[in-house]
Amino acid sequence: MINKIRTQVVQNAASILRSPVHLLPQSVQKKALLEGLKMVFKEALEDGDFDFLEGKWLKVSVTDMELSWYISYEADKLVVADCPIKEDVSFSGNLNDLVLIAGRKEDPDTLFFQRRLSIEGDTELGLEVKNLMDSVDLESLPQPLQTLLNQLADFVHKGLQSPTTQSEVINAYSN
């Protein structure tokens, strides 16, 4: 029964979270995104590994949540645009797949070839972004963030492995 509930939560996560996230002011979303990126890419930022993104724009879209962010690198710091900008490269995928990539439960190349991750625009720039993401050492993250990311990715991974139908969940609750 727990597996069926987990599967339903994972399958419906985007629709459950979409409205609350859209109610957050853009400034709050932007601040949270920037702080998260600075934390995850702390070493890369210190080493100047984002120089390739100077003057270029990366669009990251969570398709099933209808969210998009525009990210660039200016004056040695990451920036997030307040409004849509013409991107040079775009990464898009659904919430669960992006969680799996972040938690290293799925390889971006595999998802790309399965058409679950879309990369459009400047392919060389896209490859540099992907390589930078791959270079992040998850063990360098603060322990609470590591734990949260690992548990969330495990939860999603297990939830996607055991397909269930709505009627099976209803039957599980009625038994």
Side-chain angles (χ1 to χ4, degrees):
M1 183 164 122
I2 296 294
N3 288 338
K4 291 178 182 181
I5 294 169
R6 175 182 31 230
T7 298
Q8 283 298 304
V9 168
V10 168
Q11 289 176 350
N12 295 301
S15 61
I16 293 167
L17 296 172
R18 186 180 307 120
S19 291
V21 169
H22 280 270
L23 291 174
L24 285 174
Q26 244 348 78
S27 60
V28 173
Q29 289 183 37
K30 178 181 171 179
K31 176 87 171 145
L33 178 63
L34 271 174
E35 292 306 313
L37 289 171
K38 284 194 261 183
M39 189 181 312
V40 169
F41 293 105
K42 184 177 189 265
E43 267 185 48
L45 287 164
E46 290 170 353
D47 295 344
D49 293 344
F50 275 90
D51 289 345
F52 71 89
L53 199 54
E54 184 96 31
K56 310 243 186 219
W57 286 94
L58 163 66
K59 177 182 177 184
V60 177
S61 297
V62 185
T63 54
D64 53 352
M65 292 201 41
E66 300 170 3
L67 288 173
S68 293
W69 297 286
Y70 298 82
I71 304 162
S72 188
Y73 184 74
E74 297 174 2
D76 296 329
K77 63 182 180 181
L78 288 171
V79 293
V80 175
D82 290 324
C83 58
I85 300 225
K86 176 65 180 134
E87 71 273 6
D88 295 282
V89 67
S90 172
F91 280 70
S92 58
N94 72 40
L95 177 63
N96 289 329
D97 288 337
L98 296 174
V99 167
L100 292 173
I101 290 170
R104 304 278 164 74
K105 299 292 179 192
E106 284 283 357
D107 177 57
D109 293 330
T110 301
L111 295 182
F112 175 78
F113 289 113
Q114 292 175 351
R115 297 180 188 251
R116 291 168 50 194
L117 175 66
S118 173
I119 304 170
E120 298 175 357
D122 182 337
T123 53
E124 186 177 327
L125 183 62
L127 185 58
E128 289 186 74
V129 170
K130 186 194 96 48
N131 289 340
L132 182 63
M133 290 180 350
D134 286 343
S135 73
V136 171
D137 178 12
L138 296 183
E139 292 182 12
S140 69
L141 298 176
Q143 189 59 48
L145 184 57
Q146 269 185 59
T147 302
L148 175 66
L149 185 56
N150 286 331
Q151 289 178 348
L152 181 59
D154 282 341
F155 186 83
V156 169
H157 186 70
K158 289 175 184 171
L160 292 174
Q161 287 182 340
S162 53
T164 188
T165 65
Q166 193 74 13
S167 61
E168 288 174 319
V169 171
I170 292 168
N171 289 337
Y173 283 118
S174 61
N175 291 333

